[in-house]
Amino acid sequence: DSGVTQTPKHLITATGQRVTLRCSPRSGDLSVYWYQQSLDQGLQFLIQYYNGEERAKGNILERFSAQQFPDLHSELNLSSLELGDSALYFCASSVALAGTSGTSYNEQFFGPGTRLTVL
Amino acid sequence: AQKITQTQPGMFVQEKEAVTLDCTYDTSDPSYGLFWYKQPSSGEMIFLIYQGSYDQQNATEGRYSLNFQKARKSANLVISASQLGDSAMYFCAMREVRSGNTPLVFGKGTRLSVIA
């Protein structure tokens, strides 16, 4: 058990719908990352938050958005869903000190993932 | 831009034998970290081992070791004494250390099957 929790574990919905995936990081971790794992694209970084603020953006579609709340949990919102959005969505967390550089080892702990199926 | 290449889509190994999973990387940042993760059929991502670009020695964690060849930009994972439970997808990943924690970039993965 990594200490990162994600809900729900499975989600089945229809095209055009909107869903929210939730992540609670490990206690004390300030950084949250969202990744998407699909068969054709592999594991791709979507977005990172640090202590409530967006820190980095990857291949995240405009239909997707995320936020990190004051209690550090994060939500990933996916809207206008398409068949191609079916994937395993992971949340990961790590300890990240603002402005830290040269610190080469900060393991990212992954949650169990949310498997999204769009029909 | 950073890139990870895993050229072996699938590998087979006999139980109790050693196996090497290949990983090459590309980055212009002199400071970076390399990671290996295991993903069993249940789907979770399990951290296995880490190697920093400035580490002088190859990383080892139990039956896992990382064969780090900086000049060749390779970071191969060696699993010794394979067990049936080692059957899984294995991902190589890297992170540049420019300013704090940057996201991981993953390779496509290698599916390892351990045969009894």
Side-chain angles (χ1 to χ4, degrees):
Chain A
D1 186 349
S2 67
V4 179
T5 60
Q6 287 187 250
T7 55
K9 197 169 175 61
H10 300 277
L11 198 48
I12 301 174
T13 188
T15 54
Q17 294 298 305
R18 182 179 191 275
V19 297
T20 297
L21 313 184
R22 184 188 166 102
C23 166
S24 292
R26 290 188 324 152
S27 177
D29 284 358
L30 300 176
S31 246
V32 168
Y33 309 77
W34 286 97
Y35 294 89
Q36 178 194 57
Q37 185 178 28
S38 61
L39 282 174
D40 53 345
Q41 297 291 330
L43 260 161
Q44 290 200 98
F45 165 68
L46 295 177
I47 197 164
Q48 176 194 2
Y49 280 83
Y50 169 73
N51 204 19
E53 293 192 3
E54 184 183 301
R55 189 72 176 255
K57 230 171 182 175
N59 297 323
I60 188 166
L61 300 171
E62 284 193 14
R63 299 184 286 109
F64 296 0
S65 65
Q67 55 184 326
Q68 186 179 28
F69 294 87
D71 67 352
L72 300 178
H73 91 270
S74 178
E75 292 181 356
L76 178 67
N77 300 297
L78 316 176
S79 62
S80 302
L81 284 168
E82 302 175 359
L83 296 177
D85 297 328
S86 295
L88 188 52
Y89 291 85
F90 285 106
C91 165
S93 74
S94 68
V95 172
L97 301 176
T100 298
S101 61
T103 303
S104 57
Y105 182 25
N106 256 306
E107 178 191 346
Q108 290 184 19
F109 295 87
F110 280 76
T114 293
R115 186 168 296 279
L116 173 67
T117 303
V118 182
L119 301 175
Chain B
Q2 39 182 337
K3 185 180 177 182
I4 293 282
T5 302
Q6 294 180 255
T7 57
Q8 308 152 313
M11 291 277 288
F12 288 89
V13 65
Q14 203 77 32
E15 197 178 6
K16 299 179 186 174
E17 296 292 310
V19 63
T20 298
L21 307 183
D22 294 342
C23 172
T24 57
Y25 60 91
D26 192 22
T27 178
S28 56
D29 194 324
S31 184
Y32 51 89
L34 296 155
F35 301 77
W36 278 91
Y37 284 84
K38 172 184 177 182
Q39 186 178 39
S41 57
S42 52
E44 72 266 34
M45 295 290 285
I46 303 168
F47 166 75
L48 295 178
I49 197 167
Y50 164 84
Q51 180 83 44
S53 58
Y54 294 118
D55 292 344
Q56 295 296 314
Q57 294 193 323
N58 286 342
T60 59
E61 287 287 346
R63 294 186 300 110
Y64 304 108
S65 60
L66 203 153
N67 184 0
F68 181 46
Q69 297 188 45
K70 198 169 180 177
R72 292 187 174 186
K73 292 190 173 179
S74 76
N76 299 338
L77 176 71
V78 180
I79 306 175
S80 63
S82 296
Q83 302 171 357
L84 294 177
D86 294 334
S87 295
M89 281 290 288
Y90 288 80
F91 292 95
C92 180
M94 76 174 296
R95 181 171 64 78
E96 294 172 341
V97 187
R98 286 176 267 110
S99 55
N101 279 318
T102 54
L104 291 168
V105 173
F106 286 88
K108 295 281 188 192
T110 295
R111 182 170 297 281
L112 178 67
S113 300
V114 181
I115 305 164

